[in-house]
Amino acid sequence: MTRTVIESKTKTVIIGFDEPFCVIGERINPTGRKKLALELEAGNYETVIRDALEQVACGATVLDVNSGAVFTNMMAKDPRYADNNFVEPPLMKALIEIVQQTVDVPLCIDSSVPGALEAGLMACEGRPLLNSVTGEEERLELVLPLVKKYNVPVVAISNDDTGISQDPDVRFAVAKKIVQRAADFGIPAHDIVVDPLVMPVGAMGSAGQQVFALVRRLRDELGVNTTCGASNISFGLPHRHGINGAFLPMAICAGMTSAIMNPVRQQEMEAIRAANFLMNHDANGAEWIRFAKVLEAVEAGATFAEASAAHSAAASGRRGGRRSRGAVEA
């Protein structure tokens, strides 16, 4: 079975067909978050720290770290700040260091700038996931050598020099091309996590059906793990969390093994926990039973983030207590 191994300094996460669904937290991303971008420009990482802690407490087992910030104020003073190749490498290094000091889960290094990807790889402890490579020739030649050099897995996005095709057969062909080109660099298929590209169902009624069929083909014909930007399916629609909450278990049933998503959303996380149990990826329902305690706290008036954090802290305390007693008895 295909197993994609991602590691922090202390933890290992396996993305695989017979593993629990891997939730990659998406919140550490200044794109579209003006307040966060302004904080980062000022060297303020309070939101980054809060987002890291909150996402892990809510169930993320990997955190995506995106350095795509626009420093508008700096740009006015120094034209170099208009260039992401100048801005992103030092910002990525700083973000990786801050997040690693805050939580101990593996990271996903996310940038369109090769220099930022390498800066993240140099700063990262363990074996991160690199996000991303596409089927574009220039991108393949820039990113695949980094993947090989640092021996890390990579997200492969199914678009190429012609753009994003609405034809799922074309997107499959792009994914196959990336897997084959990676093999030329000595990168095995189990280190390729394909993003088949989820189209908004509001714009394309067959978007869900397309991605489910694509995921099955990617699993059966290429033997690769898969991921997606889960919220893309509901883009532009009302009550997006209801759609996302239905999409995720259906994608899991089709064979999808991870998603880049917001874990601080009860509806989506409840759907994933239930799907893990129903797919027999939660032995004896132990994780579902633990998660039920969080839901009970939410019903009593706590927010999902508050209840998750409290449950996580209590669980850590119990584990710590057991270790302490073991040390005394020894």
Side-chain angles (χ1 to χ4, degrees), residues 91-132:
L91 177 60
M92 179 64 81
K93 179 178 183 292
L95 287 170
I96 294 290
E97 290 173 349
I98 289 290
V99 174
Q100 285 182 152
Q101 292 167 16
T102 304
V103 294
D104 61 354
V105 300
L107 303 181
C108 177
I109 302 169
D110 188 353
S111 176
S112 61
V113 175
L117 293 177
E118 184 151 30
L121 287 166
M122 293 174 68
C124 218
E125 299 171 337
R127 190 174 197 251
L129 178 63
L130 203 64
N131 189 10
S132 58

Side-chain angles (χ1 to χ4, degrees), residues 63-99:
L63 292 185
D64 188 84
V65 179
N66 184 301
S67 58
V70 176
F71 289 171
T72 307
N73 295 326
M74 293 281 204
M75 205 184 301
K77 300 174 184 177
D78 185 340
R80 291 179 299 173
Y81 282 92
D83 183 1
N84 276 16
N85 292 288
F86 178 77
V87 173
E88 290 201 39
L91 177 60
M92 179 64 81
K93 179 178 183 292
L95 287 170
I96 294 290
E97 290 173 349
I98 289 290
V99 174

